[in-house]
Structure formats: C-alpha cells, structure tokens
C-alpha cells in the first residue's frame, strides 16, 4: 500500500460525509502550500490534473 492510499483512506473516513466546494478545496490547497512550499509543484500538478479531467487530449 502506498502512503497516499493511507492518507486518502483517512480522509475518506474522517471527512467522507462532508460536502465541500471547489473554492474550499482551492483555499485548503493554498494554505497547505503556504505551510509546505516544497509541495507547490505537486499541488499545481494535482490541481491542473483535476481541472482537465474531462479534456479529451
């Protein structure tokens, strides 16, 4: 199991019943990068990937 799997499972178990907006998620990602700037590139790639999920190319 990857470390990310454990984190995702914890997120689902703790917050799985909540509904969030994309604005809320974006703010949390900004806050995370402010605290952990070394993850800026990874967060940018993740956000871009989410934004383009429906793109055909």
């Amino acid at each position: 199991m990857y470390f990310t799997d454990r984190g995702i499972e914890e997120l689902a178990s703790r917050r799985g019943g909540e509904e969030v907006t994309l604005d809320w998620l974006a703010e949390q990602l900004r806050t995370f990068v402010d605290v952990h700037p070394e993850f800026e590139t990874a967060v940018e790639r993740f956000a871009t990937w989410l934004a383009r999920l429906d793109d055909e190319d």
Side-chain angles (χ1 to χ4, degrees):
M1 176 184 295
Y2 296 107
F3 290 120
T4 52
D5 291 341
R6 284 191 281 181
I8 291 167
E9 287 174 5
E10 181 178 354
L11 177 61
S13 71
R14 289 178 178 245
R15 303 235 170 185
E18 296 179 19
E19 291 187 28
V20 300
T21 65
L22 288 176
D23 287 335
W24 179 88
L25 177 60
E27 187 59 32
Q28 300 313 306
L29 290 171
R30 285 185 194 101
T31 300
F32 179 80
V33 169
D34 287 346
V35 175
H36 304 283
E38 67 274 18
F39 290 103
E40 182 176 7
T41 300
V43 169
E44 187 275 333
R45 288 179 181 168
F46 175 64
T48 301
W49 177 78
L50 285 175
R52 298 176 183 175
L53 278 176
D54 294 336
D55 286 359
E56 292 184 18
D57 48 306

